[in-house]
Amino acid sequence: MSKENTLNRFDELDAGRILGDLTSNETSEWQLLARDNENSNYIDLELLATELELQFTQPCDLSSSLSNKLADTIPAFSNKNKQKSATQIISILPWLGWATAACLLVLFNIPESSIPSAVPELTYAQKLDSLTKEAPETQRLAFSPASDPYNNISGEVIWNDERQEGYMSLVNLPVNDPTQSQYQLWIVDPERDELPVDGGVFDISSGSETAVIPIRNALKVFKPVAFVITLEQPGGVVKSKQEIVVALAKS
Amino acid sequence: MHFRDYILFSNIRSFEIALGIMPPSESQGSNKTYLLPLVAKGDEAAMKKCIDSYGSLVWSIVCRRINERVDAEEACQEIFTEVWRIASRFNSKVSKESTFIGMIARRRSIDWQRKQNRLPALSTLESLPELSSSNAQSIHSLDRNEIWEKLRTLPEDTLTLFSLHFEKGMTHEEISKETDIALGTVKTKLRRGLIEARKLLKEFSDGKGVSL
């Protein structure tokens, strides 16, 4: 192969690398050519591809949970050696209180009933009730089924813009197997974005006809006009293909 | 609407924000204070600002390719870990900060996608170009409007493929289905289109003019 042909071939493969479409064989070929190709050190093609992509990239706000996760990782960046222990400390913290209490129980054989209990946490149903009573401007929308297997579904969504708090009260939503699929709520807020905001992933376990589910909006929403429940893969998705739309509530 | 119309008339906002390749907060002034050199020195506050400034950009790039939320968040963390690790390679004469970070985000998220298809990762390849190296005629030296003005002279089918790939984030397979063009042809046309675009821009930056 002439030098010019080699350069052309390298360019084509490098474009493939940048576009992410190299096959395994092409990857090996790229590596081979990159070793001999003096132009392989330049990234102009990759810069161009990045700029073309960024041209059409509308920055999309990070959820507060991810933003916090990233910020929490910074101290670990600064000292790699401490990274593991730092992570361990973070993950252990929530359990520390319970572990201490358990140790005390074992060591001193304290009857469980004698330990002062914390202020009882309200159930979601109670929180929903409280939100409705305390915040009169709270929005209430009825859910209606969106596809055949879910025809028996009913319920409503309760949402308060100011508090950024809301709940769904769902009746007859079929039980799901979380290892196979999970329900996910989407909040449609045209004032915010044309893409719906993730409202959280949830499961319906057996034994309850009516389930009260808290809304866990990843981003702040301003004036939601619709709430959509879809069935997604375990863990939820970033963008729903809306292959299985379960129920819809709209104003 | 054709892609070139789209570029001309309907994407002013992203024109302003992105090919500028920077979030709205990123100044273009020559006396700009860059975050990455501070990050390279281990400045945690600068890293925090970096996440605040570019997190949404990275997230958008990641979400184009990774649909599972857990995976997307993990990729995002990996990307910022890499930003921290190689911030010293940033060269303001070669790229803007957002381009540098965008490039890392692209590499990582493409690799994630390839992993799903059991293809070898690319960002770990030996001989991968350094993020600090560039030809003298770097596109960074060109005005963004001039870049797009020149790219409009690419063949229309190339611009259509660019639109589907870069704008809509479609995979080659999806483009093939959408356009009824054979997969191999999509792949070849995209690769050659990218090379042609670089050639155009280099010729333009050299002041040679282009005749197509």
Side-chain angles (χ1 to χ4, degrees):
Chain A
M1 200 185 283
S2 71
K3 192 176 177 186
E4 192 185 345
N5 285 346
T6 307
L7 278 176
N8 288 342
R9 179 64 181 155
F10 175 76
D11 263 355
E12 187 164 335
L13 291 174
D14 202 39
R17 173 186 67 79
I18 291 155
L19 293 163
D21 64 25
L22 288 185
T23 62
S24 298
N25 286 343
E26 285 177 328
T27 306
S28 309
E29 193 183 350
W30 179 90
Q31 277 187 295
L32 207 63
L33 291 175
R35 274 185 221 133
D36 305 326
N37 187 351
E38 57 188 21
N39 289 331
S40 68
N41 287 327
Y42 297 122
I43 54 161
D44 296 40
L45 206 56
E46 196 167 4
L47 279 173
L48 174 58
T50 305
E51 298 205 359
L52 286 172
E53 181 161 334
L54 291 178
Q55 160 73 5
F56 298 109
T57 303
Q58 295 288 346
C60 169
D61 290 347
L62 289 183
S63 66
S64 52
S65 65
L66 177 57
S67 186
N68 290 339
K69 241 185 247 179
L70 291 171
D72 286 347
T73 322
I74 295 172
F77 290 157
S78 60
N79 190 340
K80 287 280 177 191
N81 293 334
K82 288 183 182 170
Q83 188 166 358
K84 198 175 171 192
S85 56
T87 313
Q88 282 170 344
I89 288 167
I90 291 165
S91 61
I92 285 169
L93 274 176
W95 301 98
L96 207 56
W98 292 107
T100 310
C103 287
L104 286 171
L105 276 172
V106 172
L107 283 174
F108 302 108
N109 197 21
I110 303 169
E112 228 175 299
S113 57
S114 65
I115 298 176
S117 59
V119 179
E121 175 81 4
L122 292 177
T123 63
Y124 293 135
Q126 289 167 323
K127 286 181 178 176
L128 182 156
D129 196 39
S130 151
L131 180 66
T132 317
K133 283 176 185 159
E134 290 170 15
E137 69 282 13
T138 296
Q139 190 178 5
R140 298 185 85 119
L141 299 171
F143 271 115
S144 45
S147 54
D148 270 350
Y150 304 101
N151 278 340
N152 293 330
I153 293 170
S154 61
E156 62 177 352
V157 57
I158 287 97
W159 173 258
N160 186 286
D161 289 335
E162 196 184 327
R163 293 194 186 187
Q164 290 293 299
E165 182 183 359
Y167 301 90
M168 292 175 284
S169 168
L170 298 162
V171 183
N172 291 331
L173 192 57
V175 171
N176 64 301
D177 175 357
T179 63
Q180 299 298 315
S181 60
Q182 289 190 287
Y183 293 108
Q184 188 164 7
L185 175 70
W186 301 94
I187 307 169
V188 181
D189 177 7
E191 282 198 14
R192 183 185 203 295
D193 199 340
E194 60 188 33
L195 294 172
V197 171
D198 173 15
V201 173
F202 62 95
D203 299 311
I204 298 294
S205 49
S206 57
S208 61
E209 259 192 15
T210 304
V212 178
I213 311 289
I215 294 174
R216 297 188 174 93
N217 48 313
L219 302 169
K220 193 172 178 180
V221 288
F222 306 110
K223 218 171 176 57
V225 296
F227 295 80
V228 184
I229 299 171
T230 60
L231 193 65
E232 306 287 355
Q233 60 195 58
V237 295
V238 177
K239 276 186 281 186
S240 177
K241 290 179 184 166
Q242 299 190 29
E243 284 168 343
I244 304 177
V245 179
V246 174
L248 170 73
K250 59 181 178 180
S251 54
Chain B
M1 179 183 281
H2 291 303
F3 176 70
R4 59 179 61 185
D5 297 332
Y6 181 83
I7 289 178
L8 271 176
F9 303 117
S10 67
N11 203 18
I12 302 302
R13 183 161 172 258
S14 54
F15 226 83
E16 293 296 322
I17 296 173
L19 186 66
I21 320 162
M22 51 182 65
S25 57
E26 192 175 3
S27 151
Q28 289 185 73
S30 56
N31 56 352
K32 171 173 168 47
T33 307
Y34 293 102
L35 291 171
L36 288 172
L38 299 173
V39 171
K41 288 178 188 164
D43 184 334
E44 292 182 14
M47 188 62 198
K48 174 81 175 66
K49 275 189 196 165
C50 188
I51 291 170
D52 290 344
S53 299
Y54 301 112
S56 55
L57 188 74
V58 168
W59 183 240
S60 300
I61 293 172
V62 166
C63 290
R64 273 170 185 259
R65 297 183 175 83
I66 306 172
N67 199 32
E68 291 79 5
R69 187 171 52 173
V70 177
D71 290 348
E73 291 193 358
E74 200 177 316
C76 216
Q77 284 181 289
E78 280 184 9
I79 287 161
F80 277 107
T81 304
E82 189 160 352
V83 168
W84 173 271
R85 196 171 60 78
I86 64 170
S88 61
R89 294 187 202 166
F90 168 69
N91 179 350
S92 63
K93 289 176 185 160
V94 170
S95 72
K96 296 178 175 68
E97 277 189 333
S98 52
T99 315
F100 180 88
I101 292 169
M103 200 178 309
I104 294 170
R106 276 192 89 248
R107 281 186 183 178
R108 283 279 167 180
S109 47
I110 284 173
D111 269 354
W112 202 286
Q113 217 173 18
R114 288 174 62 84
K115 204 162 64 179
Q116 304 305 311
N117 298 323
R118 301 183 179 193
L119 286 166
L122 298 174
S123 68
T124 51
L125 287 177
E126 277 177 49
S127 315
L128 198 64
E130 285 288 318
L131 291 165
S132 55
S133 57
S134 175
N135 273 325
Q137 300 90 350
S138 159
I139 53 169
H140 179 50
S141 64
L142 292 174
D143 174 80
R144 74 189 66 158
N145 292 327
E146 290 171 329
I147 290 176
W148 283 100
E149 187 60 32
K150 277 299 148 195
L151 288 192
R152 285 199 309 115
T153 61
L154 285 171
E156 187 153 331
D157 58 344
T158 302
L159 289 173
T160 304
L161 293 181
F162 274 13
S163 167
L164 297 174
H165 181 76
F166 291 111
E167 179 196 349
K168 298 192 174 167
M170 291 169 79
T171 63
H172 293 10
E173 287 80 6
E174 288 166 339
I175 293 174
S176 173
K177 276 184 196 162
E178 171 89 10
T179 58
D180 267 341
I181 299 174
L183 182 60
T185 311
V186 170
K187 188 169 159 175
T188 307
K189 277 184 178 264
L190 272 171
R191 287 180 180 186
R192 293 187 180 162
L194 194 59
I195 293 165
E196 187 61 25
R198 178 181 62 180
K199 188 178 158 209
L200 273 174
L201 296 176
K202 280 188 176 171
E203 285 173 349
F204 180 66
S205 70
D206 288 347
K208 287 178 185 169
V210 182
S211 57
L212 289 174

